[in-house]
Every structure is written in structure tokens, then in C-alpha cells.
Amino acid sequence: MSALHLNLKVWRQKNQQSKGEFQTYQVEANEHMSFLEMMDVLNQDLIEKKKEPVAFDHDCREGICGACSMVINGKPHGPLSGTTTCQLHMRHFKDGETIVVEPFRAKAFPIVRDLVVDRSSFDRIIQAGGFISVNTGQAIDGNAIPIDKDTASKSFDAAACIGCGACVAACPNGSAMLFTSAKISHLGLLPQGKMEHTRRVNNMVSQMDEEGFGFCSNIGACEAECPKGISLENIARMNRGYIKASLLD
Amino acid sequence: MSLSGLFLIVFLLIHLLGNLQLLKADGGQAFNIYGYFMTHNPLIKMVSYGLYLFILIHAIQGTLLWLKNRSAKGSSYAVNSNAGTNMFSRYMMHFGIIIFIFIIIHMIQFWLKMKMGVLDQVSYDGVDHTVANLYAPCQLAFSNIGYVLFYVLSMLILAFHLNHGFQSAFQTLGWNHPKYNGLIKIVGLLYSILIPLGFAIIPIFMFLNK
Ligand code: HEM
Ligand code: SF4
Ligand code: FES
């Protein structure tokens, strides 16, 4: 097991109002650690020195919750494609390397502290989507509604979005179109969610604008950085729905 | 944005077909007759006012979009990877400004002269009226190496703008389908190279033949 001596440049910021700055730290990690475990080592060290540990978001540490927001060397979730920060292992870094760690940046993701940003705007976009029409009561037979394989797969691919916000972090326009379109697609493609599709598109897009996210100019950084491989095809589907909604409502 | 952009894309094609008549070795006859037709046909006149409007709408929308998106980003990173992006998509606004400046100079140079009626009138066999000699200012402008270079560079920038703009407009309208995406990319690439190239050949040709 080889040790890694790393130079970390980490963004430190006390709260939303204060002006942040980079601080440099030396950390000794090993190649089997995840990036977050390496950050834990740094924090343990800071605590022992009676200094303030670096605040960062994390929860599941298995790539499914979307909490671990960090921009590592200019890339949301770091250098490995299709991987969240918590699933990124230190063997992808070299001994002696300098690693720059910054928070996700977008006006609609205000910094709470250090690397923690407030992504509640995403929750409000999801809430704006409203309900889907399924009967309450006993769970119905999963196979009672026929759905063809391709549609089910497309919906499932969109549902893989973990709401991490890397798309917004990567987008030069601070746009949340990839996230919103993934949420819209995974419901709108299935019979249970199709009925409210147009209204849902309208409401979610309005909420997205209200939160202060930018508009998509089809740059494609979001798709490249999304840890779950969400496709730009979803944005086109949302645009179609939005045009339909503008023409009909 | 996408609709005005696509309108401008169609316009460019037609404008190029007209301009290519400058390459005819007839001392400007075909081009001048075409110029007369374009300024006197009522339908074309209406379309051209629509065109000025579309250019303005496109420029204003583009600028507002750019301002909104800059403020939505807020702050910038210390390290940028730019993964998945290209310089065409990131500098659409900058390209647009250069194209806009080009359009203004271009209009002063040719359109304004036509409108002010300061051009000489020439007559041709088989045409029962005189036509303005729009060929003359073209010849004059394109004998100036500085203007030829400015024109050719502007066309290069236009190519950059269209390289992203063409496919972007389709995505904005929701026309994204795995079966046709390749086709849109190829047609967009061909269009964004061939149309500006076609425009750029004219001043180069006229400069070399002066
Ligand atoms: C004849 C000239 C022009 C043509 C053919 C053209 C065409 C296009 C097209 C097709 C798009 C993509 C639209 C979309 O994705 O929805 C676009 C985008 C854009 N245009 Fe133009 N344009 C021209 C001139 C201009 C001018 C004069 C400006 C500004 C002063 C400008 C600024 C922009 C901006 C900022 C965008 C970015 C929006 C985006 O990528 O979606 N363009 N243009
Ligand atoms: S679309 Fe991808 S990058 Fe954006 S929130 Fe969902 S999982 Fe994260
Ligand atoms: S901590 Fe849950 S996805 Fe990384």
C-alpha cells in the first residue's frame, strides 16, 4: 500500500456573505481511500490541531444520494467520468500532486460554508412537478400496465439522476436544464406520468427560472460531467414539451 | 433565438446565391439587374424589412441571454476543465458581436449607397429601365486589401458562429433523435464551412481580378 503525499488547495468560506479564499494543506493519504476519506483524514488532522475542519456534504458514500458536491481540479466529482466524489479513489492521483478543491458554483447554489452549497432549489423544482395519476390503495401488479422495453429503459436512464447538481456546477450558464429534464423525462415517458406531462414541464421550467438558473445554450458540459450519464436527449424532450405547453396553454 | 437563427441561416443561403453573380465576367450586368430586382420587388422589400427585424431580435435576445447566463453563473472557478465544451459554443456572444459590427459596416458600404440613390445609373440591352450600378462600390471595396481581409476574417467568425448555431437551433427546438443527430451535425458542419467560404471567395476573386 503506497502512501500519497498531497498538496490540497481547499476553498474556505465562513458563510454566504463572507469572501472566501484558498487554504493550502498537506495530507498523507493512501491509494485505497476514497476522496471523502482523504478529506476525513484532513479534517481529523485539523481537529487535532484545534482548527476548524472543512465543511463538505456527504451522506451515502456509495454514489446514490448525490450529496458529495465538490469541484476537483476544475471538474465536478473529479477526474473520473461517471463517478461521484465519494466513489472516486485516491489511486487516480499521483504522489506529490496538488489538488484544487472548490465548491459547486452557480448563483442558484449559494455557498453555505466551505464546500457546502445550498441545493434546495432542486427540491423546489421537483415539488413544482406535482403529482402523477396513480390510484391509492393496495399496490397494483407491476406488470398490469404494458410498457415497451425501450421506453422503460429511457425512463429508467433518466431516473438514474441523483440530483447532485454537477450539471449546474459544470455549466458555464449555471443552467439546471439537464437535471430538470431528467426529472421530467422519467415521469413523462411512462403512462402513469404522461397525463400531466405538459403541465409538469411548464411548472418545473417556471420554477427553474424563478430559482435563478441560466438558460441552456447547448454547450454540453453537463452531459460530460454528469456522474450518471444523463443524456442531452432529455433536454430536447423537455424543450418539445415546453413548446407544446406554450402553444396550448 | 433558434427561430430567428434558422431564419438567418435560410437568408444567408439566398444572399450567397445572389452575390455569386459578382463572379460572372460580365462587368456586373447580372448582379446589377439582380440588385434592381431585390430593391424594387414589393415582396422582397417586405421580406428584407423582416430580415432587419430578425437580425435585431436575434442580437437583442442573444445579448439578454448572455447577460442572464453570466449572472446565473455568478462566480468562476480557479481551475476550469472545460470538459465536453468547445470554443465555438463558449464564445457565441463574442462571435455575434463581430458579426453585428460586420453587418453594420457592410450595410453602410452597400445598402446605404443603394438607398440614398447616390449610385450611377447604367442601362443594359433588353432592360427597359436604368439600374443602379451596385457593382461599382463592390469593385471599389474589394480592391482594398484591408477591406478584403476584414471581410474574409468576418466570414471565418461567421463560420464559427454557425458551427455551433446550426445544431444548437435543432436541439433548442427539441429536434434531437439518435437516428438524425449525425445528419444534423454533418449538414451543419458543411453549411458552416461552405456558406462563409462562398461569401469569402467573392472579395478574394474580385481583388485578384481588379
Ligand atoms: C447572419 C448572421 C447570424 C446567423 C445566421 C446566426 C445564427 C444563429 C443560430 C442558428 C443560433 C442558435 C440558436 C439556438 O440554439 O437556439 C445562434 C445563437 C446565438 N447568436 Fe447568432 N446568428 C447570426 C448573427 C448573430 C448576431 C449579430 C449576434 C449578436 C449580436 C448573435 C448572437 C448569438 C448568440 C449570443 C447566440 C447564443 C445562443 C445559443 O447558443 O443558443 N448572432 N445564432
Ligand atoms: S443530471 Fe446528472 S449531474 Fe445533473 S443532477 Fe442529475 S445526476 Fe447530477
Ligand atoms: S455521498 Fe452519496 S453520492 Fe456521494
Side-chain angles (χ1 to χ4, degrees), chain B residues 103-114:
Chain B
I103 294 175
I104 303 270
I105 294 178
H106 183 73
M107 299 271 284
I108 292 173
Q109 193 114 33
F110 305 118
W111 177 84
L112 202 62
K113 285 191 179 148
M114 194 79 180

Side-chain angles (χ1 to χ4, degrees), chain A residues 217, chain B residues 1-2 5 8-9 58-59 62 65 92 96 100 161-162 165 168-169 172:
Chain A
S217 65
Chain B
M1 200 79 240
S2 53
L8 294 178
I9 281 178
H58 185 80
L65 180 69
M92 288 300 272
F100 196 74
H161 193 77
L162 290 172
S168 176
T172 302

